Amino acid sequence: MEPLRPKIEQLVDELLDRMAAQGEVDLVSAFALPIPLLVISELLGVPEEDREPFVTWADAVNGTEHDPEVTQEAYAYLRKLVADKRADPADDLLSALSVVAAEEGGSLSETELLHNAMLLLVAGYDTTVYLIANTVLALLQAPEQLAEVRENPALLPDAIEEVLRYDSPVNISSPRWAAEPITLNGVTVPAGQPLLISIMSANRDAAHFDDPDRFDIHRDKSGRHLGFGHGIHYCPGAPLARMETLIAVGKLIERFPGLGLAVSSDTLTMRDSLLIHGPASLPVRLT
Ligand code: HEM
C-alpha cells in the first residue's frame, strides 16, 4: 500500500487546488469519489483513459436499482483487462493474480480471477468514498471535536475509527447462511437460510458501546467496532482505506479552516443503497 501514498497525496493536493477556486462544492463528487477511484485503478492496473465508467459500474452493483446490463458491461471490461494483463503483465495486483491463476495447478481459476477483480472494484472504491464523506460530515456536525482534531492532528485516526463505528460506510455484511437453526429475539432462522447482518446496528449496540448514538473521538477503543467486518472475511483493504481517509481528511481540514456545510444537515439525503451508507451529496463551503 505504501508506494501508493505519494500518488494519493499528489491527487489530494490537486483536488484541493481545484476546489479552492470554486468556493462551494459537492464534497462527494469533487473530492471523496476521485481518491478511491484513483487508488483502486492504480492497484488493479486500469489505464487512466478507462477509469470513468467505473463510477457507473460501482453504482450499478451497489445501488438498489440493480441493472444487469451495466453489470455485464463491467464484466466484459474486466475480462478484457485480465486477458491484457495475462498477455503483458505489469507491476499491479491484477497482473500478479493473473500469474498465480496461470500457474500450473494454480489456486485461482479464470472465473475466480474475474470475480476477484470485480470484488476489488466494488469493495475498494465506493466504501472508501463514504468513509471520507462520513468522516467530514461527522466532524462538521461536532464542531468542538473538529476543533480538537485541528489543534492536534494525531487525533484524526481516532476520529476515523469512531466514524467506522458511528456512521459505518458499509451497512450490511455479505450474506451468511445459517449452518444450524438460530433463534434471535424470538425469531428462528432455519438451517440453510440466508442472513444479512447489520453492521450499523451492531455498531450502535447499547449492550456493547456506552451511549452508542454519541459521536465521541475519545471513545474507549477496547469495544471494537465491526466497520471492517470480523473474522475470516475481515476487510483486507482496511489499512488502505484508513490511509486514504487520513490523507484526504487531514489535508482538507488543514487547507480550509472555515470548512462548513453549505446546507442544513437535515436536508441531506442518503445514497440509495442497501450496502453503502452515506450522503448522496455533501455540499460544503470552502473558506
Ligand atoms: C472504508 C472503506 C472500507 C470499508 C468500510 C470496508 C468494509 C468491509 C467489510 C465490512 C467487509 C466484510 C464483509 C463481510 O464480512 O461480509 C469487507 C470485506 C472486503 N473488503 Fe473492504 N472495506 C473498505 C475498503 C476496502 C478496500 C480499499 C478494499 C480493497 C482494496 C477492500 C476489499 C475488501 C475485500 C476483497 C473484502 C472481502 C474479504 C473476504 O470476503 O474475505 N475493502 N470490507
Side-chain angles (χ1 to χ4, degrees):
M1 305 298 167
E2 273 306 312
L4 287 168
R5 183 185 290 275
K7 285 204 165 170
I8 301 172
E9 288 177 340
Q10 189 193 343
L11 174 72
V12 169
D13 288 337
E14 284 168 15
L15 293 171
L16 292 174
D17 286 344
R18 220 175 295 161
M19 284 156 53
Q22 296 177 50
E24 190 177 313
V25 294
D26 165 22
L27 198 88
V28 174
S29 57
F31 187 66
L33 192 149
I35 301 165
L37 183 60
L38 170 102
V39 171
I40 205 68
S41 306
E42 291 281 334
L43 201 67
L44 289 176
V46 178
E48 253 179 82
E49 61 278 12
D50 293 354
R51 294 177 185 177
E52 211 187 305
F54 275 39
V55 179
T56 321
W57 294 342
D59 242 11
V61 177
N62 290 340
T64 45
E65 311 247 332
H66 191 76
D67 182 341
E69 247 176 60
V70 183
T71 313
Q72 284 316 314
E73 226 177 79
Y75 271 115
Y77 175 78
L78 290 173
R79 198 170 284 121
K80 180 182 162 298
L81 188 64
V82 166
D84 289 352
K85 297 291 173 194
R86 185 156 286 176
D88 184 15
D91 184 18
D92 55 59
L93 185 59
L94 209 51
S95 296
L97 289 173
S98 309
V99 171
V100 176
E103 278 168 3
E104 205 154 323
S107 52
L108 206 58
S109 74
E110 189 78 35
T111 311
E112 284 169 335
L113 177 60
L114 187 64
H115 288 303
N116 267 288
M118 183 56 125
L119 172 63
L120 282 167
L121 164 62
V122 174
Y125 152 62
D126 238 0
T127 50
T128 313
V129 171
Y130 286 99
L131 183 55
I132 296 172
N134 293 359
T135 301
V136 175
L137 179 58
L139 286 172
L140 289 178
Q141 289 177 323
E144 334 69 55
Q145 298 187 64
L146 174 56
E148 271 189 80
V149 174
R150 285 188 192 282
E151 180 90 357
N152 178 11
L155 288 173
L156 187 52
D158 289 351
I160 294 171
E161 233 38 51
E162 174 66 346
V163 172
L164 281 157
R165 181 199 71 82
Y166 171 81
D167 216 5
S168 326
V170 171
N171 186 355
I172 49 163
S173 73
S174 47
R176 304 297 202 263
W177 278 263
E180 53 191 63
I182 315 169
T183 302
L184 294 167
N185 283 345
V187 177
T188 300
V189 182
Q193 289 301 305
L195 286 160
L196 289 177
I197 297 157
S198 170
I199 289 173
M200 291 186 73
S201 175
N203 280 341
R204 297 278 189 114
D205 183 352
H208 196 68
F209 298 100
D210 280 345
D211 199 1
D213 296 334
R214 184 168 45 91
F215 175 69
D216 179 2
I217 62 173
H218 300 294
R219 190 174 283 280
D220 172 8
K221 279 168 270 317
S222 57
R224 291 185 41 223
H225 63 73
L226 294 185
F228 284 124
H230 171 74
I232 194 169
H233 292 291
Y234 183 81
C235 176
L240 182 59
R242 287 186 175 115
M243 179 171 94
E244 289 178 56
T245 308
L246 194 59
I247 296 172
V249 180
K251 281 181 177 281
L252 176 79
I253 60 178
E254 188 188 345
R255 178 74 173 263
F256 299 112
L259 181 76
L261 277 177
V263 295
S264 126
S265 52
D266 55 14
T267 64
L268 293 173
T269 51
M270 290 291 120
R271 171 78 188 274
D272 184 14
S273 169
L274 183 64
L275 180 66
I276 300 289
H277 167 76
S281 68
L282 189 58
V284 292
R285 273 180 286 100
L286 305 163
T287 49

